[in-house]
Amino acid sequence: MSTATFGPGPALVGRLRPPPDKSISHRAAILAAMGEGSVRVSGYLDADDTRSTLAAITALGAGVQEIGPSEEMPGGIELEIRGVGLRGARGGSGEPLPIDVGNAGTLLRILPGWLAGQAEGTWVLDGDESIRRRPVDRIAGPLADMGADVSCREDRLPPLVVRGASLRAVPQTLDVASAQVKSCILLAGLLADGPTTIVEPAPSRDHTERMLRAAGVKVTARDLRTLPGLGGPPERRIEVEPVARLHLGAIQVPADLSSAAFFAVGAAIVAGSDVRLERTGINPTRAGILGILNRMGAASWVEDERAAPGGEPVGTIAARHGALTATRVTGAEVPIAIDELPLVALLGCFADGETVVTGAEELRHKESDRIASVVDGLAGLGAEIEAREDGFAVTGSARLRGGIIDAQDDHRLAMLGAIAGLASEEGVEVHGMEAAAISYPGFERDLRTLTGSGLL
Ligand code: S3P
């Protein structure tokens, strides 16, 4: 286990391009594997999670040629991926084919949608200790409804066994707004016997829908809220039509907003900071943290917004240090900021008043139980924070003492500790800093670039 110490100070100043988006990289590899012919993926995230996806599609028969590091996207690689076709995933010959997903929950939950609709083959998806605690009944249930042959440990946990079967188009109503579950069903829907509809309780990130549309699939989405001014449930209904084959064009992966968010939040809370985070994905179904920062009074905005090939909007995120006021994050804002809620807790430590997050019980099913790990971690650094069943409440005091935080093998907790250290009075020692490599292997180097020093 590696230990690293951060702060107090220095300020984050300057411009950088965060690493490529993890969610979009996973999807690019999986959809390219499902397609016909070769697809160029530019700026594929070179990190532990997304390496697991390349190994998985290779095991399934796809050809992955690594051309070299991306010149445009630091932390990314250029790939040429040759697909096996929608119905051509390699299964085990006799024995089931093992797929090691490592720590990648997105791979674990999305890939089975494709495998479930294969004419033959059996796969066993399994991963590390933390993946074994992550529920898969949320995908096993809908897939079984569609006629898939799936089973898992204690009806809930990995390993997940998937056998190819013919799929029916059965409408699905999701209990939780989960892009992973939605994406799994969308992929299964491509192989079903008619159009499949999914109703999610609130919009979750729509990267899969955008990429499928770019590949020629008919995917429609409609918000069911009929009386906008009067509130009402924010459900979204998505429909996907089956296809004979997928033709993906070249994909350019934007920088990861979830990685950029560490620096944007760091800039908001460390005196003297002023950063620009280039080419960052700002898809509105993902960018809730930007609205939260604004509401808290942070000096944060987006410059030179434009559309990237593949239908994802990108821009430069700007953030500066300033006074913050407390806020509440509830309901439909939770899924669009789900991975940044730990950072909202940190912002709350420096905001005037009580910052409250509710409706976020999903945080308990991430790489760690992120309600417990964030609350215990920040409390250990001197924060006035308490856990709730479905979130947390933090009272800001404009200061954080500092101390030691254990990353608990959770990449976002490791990086949270580092940023907390910069804003703290005594600095923070992060135990298990290597966890950051799951999504952001260059995190410490980039942080040094912005702090302009070896002062960390
Ligand atoms: C992801 C969706 C989210 C998010 C995860 C990545 C994705 O999970 O927390 O880090 O790529 O679809 P859920 O869909 O389970 O909320």
Side-chain angles (χ1 to χ4, degrees):
M1 202 204 307
S2 72
T3 295
T5 305
F6 300 89
L12 295 102
V13 179
R15 180 175 277 278
L16 69 72
R17 205 163 282 184
D21 190 280
K22 180 157 83 72
S23 286
I24 297 174
S25 293
H26 282 304
R27 287 159 172 78
I30 295 171
L31 264 61
M34 297 169 73
E36 310 276 322
S38 273
V39 171
R40 175 76 170 223
V41 182
S42 298
Y44 184 87
L45 174 65
D46 187 11
D48 292 353
D49 254 20
T50 40
R51 285 272 173 197
S52 294
T53 297
L54 294 183
I57 63 165
T58 304
L60 294 169
V64 177
Q65 191 198 345
E66 202 173 314
I67 293 151
S70 164
E71 288 187 4
E72 299 265 290
M73 297 297 293
I77 46 178
E78 292 291 307
L79 296 177
E80 195 75 34
I81 299 178
R82 189 176 27 77
V84 292
L86 204 51
R87 289 167 180 78
R90 184 193 291 154
S93 45
E95 291 292 295
L97 186 74
I99 303 283
D100 180 3
V101 305
N103 189 251
T106 301
L107 174 61
L108 171 71
R109 303 238 181 71
I110 294 187
L111 190 65
W114 179 33
L115 301 180
Q118 300 299 301
E120 53 190 43
T122 304
W123 300 268
V124 182
L125 286 87
D126 201 0
D128 67 11
E129 228 178 274
S130 118
I131 221 75
R132 285 202 157 202
R133 294 192 294 268
R134 302 191 65 182
V136 284
D137 47 338
R138 50 184 58 201
I139 57 161
L143 287 177
D145 271 0
M146 295 174 77
D149 184 351
V150 285
S151 58
C152 48
R153 182 170 52 99
E154 295 164 21
D155 286 336
R156 215 172 76 82
L157 299 166
L160 175 73
V161 181
V162 184
R163 285 176 206 86
S166 355
L167 300 182
R168 295 183 299 270
V170 177
Q172 300 292 333
T173 300
L174 307 186
D175 299 331
V176 284
S178 162
Q180 294 176 350
V181 177
K182 174 178 63 176
S183 300
C184 175
I185 301 169
L186 284 170
L187 298 196
L190 297 176
L191 292 150
D193 60 0
T196 300
T197 59
I198 306 164
V199 174
E200 48 181 355
S204 64
R205 63 188 71 183
D206 66 359
H207 304 309
T208 308
E209 292 92 308
R210 287 173 190 250
M211 209 178 279
L212 284 174
R213 277 185 206 116
V217 178
K218 185 152 182 244
V219 187
T220 54
R222 187 161 63 84
D223 288 330
L224 298 184
R225 191 198 296 259
T226 46
L227 299 168
L230 301 177
E235 287 114 336
R236 178 171 280 187
R237 180 177 182 276
I238 299 115
E239 182 172 287
V240 62
E241 293 198 357
V243 285
R245 50 190 62 85
L246 273 187
H247 286 290
L248 216 60
I251 295 178
Q252 268 177 28
V253 182
D256 197 320
L257 177 70
S258 299
S259 298
F262 288 99
F263 302 135
V265 166
I269 60 176
V270 181
S273 296
D274 189 356
V275 297
R276 297 289 181 282
L277 306 160
E278 294 175 354
R279 285 267 182 112
T280 304
I282 48 169
N283 179 326
T285 60
R286 178 78 184 278
I289 185 66
L290 300 180
I292 294 169
L293 275 166
N294 278 324
R295 213 162 58 234
M296 295 181 86
S300 162
W301 63 97
V302 175
E303 294 170 353
D304 48 75
E305 181 178 345
R306 60 199 156 89
E312 292 285 347
V314 299
T316 295
I317 295 176
R320 259 206 303 260
H321 177 249
L324 298 175
T325 49
T327 192
R328 298 182 79 83
V329 178
T330 60
E333 201 168 33
V334 167
I336 64 170
I338 187 76
D339 292 339
E340 289 65 66
L341 295 179
L343 284 166
V344 174
L346 180 60
L347 284 165
C349 295
F350 294 90
D352 186 22
E354 190 187 41
T355 294
V356 181
V357 173
T358 59
E361 50 278 270
E362 269 304 284
L363 286 177
R364 296 205 180 270
H365 305 295
K366 298 298 174 187
E367 285 82 334
S368 63
D369 170 345
R370 281 195 186 143
I371 294 180
S373 60
V374 167
V375 168
D376 294 351
L378 291 179
L381 303 180
E384 217 182 296
I385 183 167
E386 63 172 41
R388 305 263 168 94
E389 204 42 53
D390 62 346
F392 49 78
V394 50
T395 304
S397 60
R399 55 179 288 271
L400 190 66
R401 186 193 63 236
I404 296 175
I405 191 168
D406 184 337
Q408 300 189 32
D409 291 331
D410 182 338
H411 54 130
R412 302 209 192 278
L413 203 61
M415 294 185 276
L416 180 75
I419 299 300
L422 297 188
S424 71
E425 293 168 338
E426 298 173 6
V428 169
E429 196 176 297
V430 182
H431 291 185
M433 194 60 214
E434 72 280 359
I438 285 293
S439 60
Y440 198 164
F443 173 76
E444 287 181 77
R445 184 202 54 223
D446 283 356
L447 191 54
R448 271 196 296 274
T449 302
L450 288 177
T451 52
S453 66
L455 284 176
L456 292 175

